[in-house]
Amino acid sequence: MDTIILEELKKVKFTKNYYRANVSGVDQEKTDRLGRCVGNPCLSYTFGLVRPRNKSNLQLSRITQKYMDLYNLLLKYMKQNHPDFVFKSITINKNIICQPHFDKNNKSDSLAVAFGDYTEGGELVVGDVEYNIKNNAIIFNGRNNIHYSKPFSGGDRYSLIFYNL
C-alpha cells in the first residue's frame, strides 16, 4: 500500500503555503512589511476536517474534496495499520524540513509517517529522540513535546501527520 500512497501523493499539485510559520519559520521581512506573521513558503495541505479562520465549527477541507481518492486511501491505510488511532485531520507536507515546534491546537496524540523516494535523513526528532518514519509510523504527543524533522536528500519526502483538532 505504501507504493500506492506515494503514487497518489505525487499527483497532488502543491501551492505555496505561508500560514505555517511555526513549522516553516517566520519570513521576518514580510511580517514587518505586512504587520502580521507570515511564514516562509512551504508545500503543505490539511486533509480531513479543518477549522476555517474566524469560525468555530469544523468542516471538510477543500483540498480533501479535490483529492478524495487520496483521502480515502489514507483512511484505508489507517484502518488497516492503526485501527485504534483516532484522528480528524491529516497534514501532508512535501519536502519540508520542519523547525522545532509544538502543535498547540492538537487535542491528543499525533501519528507521523513519511513516504517518498528520498534516500537519506528526514528523521523526526521528538524531544531528543530520533525516529526513522519512512514507511514507519510513530505516535507521539506533539502538543507537549517539541519536535522537528532533520534534513534529507535523494528525492521527494512527504510527511503525513494524523491528529485531532
Side-chain angles (χ1 to χ4, degrees), residues 145-160:
N145 295 289
I146 195 160
H147 55 284
Y148 61 94
S149 58
K150 296 192 81 172
F152 60 92
S153 61
D156 288 327
R157 178 181 181 271
Y158 299 89
S159 59
L160 285 65

Side-chain angles (χ1 to χ4, degrees), residues 19-106:
Y19 297 102
R20 302 216 49 228
N22 66 318
V23 169
S24 65
V26 175
D27 183 328
Q28 197 60 53
E29 181 182 320
K30 284 184 182 175
T31 295
D32 292 343
R33 190 177 72 239
L34 297 173
R36 61 177 172 81
C37 186
V38 178
N40 290 316
C42 64
L43 304 177
S44 180
Y45 285 129
T46 300
F47 282 68
L49 296 179
V50 296
R51 181 171 286 114
R53 298 196 192 294
N54 304 319
K55 295 187 179 178
S56 60
N57 60 321
L58 297 175
Q59 65 185 45
L60 198 63
S61 70
R62 284 182 288 191
I63 200 69
T64 303
Q65 296 168 29
K66 183 173 182 178
Y67 294 101
M68 192 57 80
D69 288 345
L70 173 58
Y71 181 64
N72 287 327
L73 182 62
L74 295 176
L75 295 178
K76 182 178 177 184
Y77 166 83
M78 289 299 286
K79 188 171 185 174
Q80 286 181 358
N81 295 286
H82 307 282
D84 297 327
F85 189 82
V86 178
F87 65 96
K88 289 185 173 95
S89 306
I90 310 163
T91 293
I92 300 176
N93 303 308
K94 180 180 179 186
N95 295 335
I96 294 177
I97 301 171
C98 292
Q99 304 296 309
H101 67 284
F102 293 93
D103 298 327
K104 66 180 180 178
N105 295 319
N106 290 17

Side-chain angles (χ1 to χ4, degrees), residues 2-3 5-7 9-10 94-95 114-121 134-135 152-159:
D2 294 353
T3 305
I5 291 172
L6 180 57
E7 291 308 311
L9 288 167
K10 288 179 179 181
K94 180 180 179 186
N95 295 335
F115 300 99
D117 52 10
Y118 65 101
T119 55
E120 292 183 42
K134 184 173 184 180
N135 301 324
F152 60 92
S153 61
D156 288 327
R157 178 181 181 271
Y158 299 89
S159 59

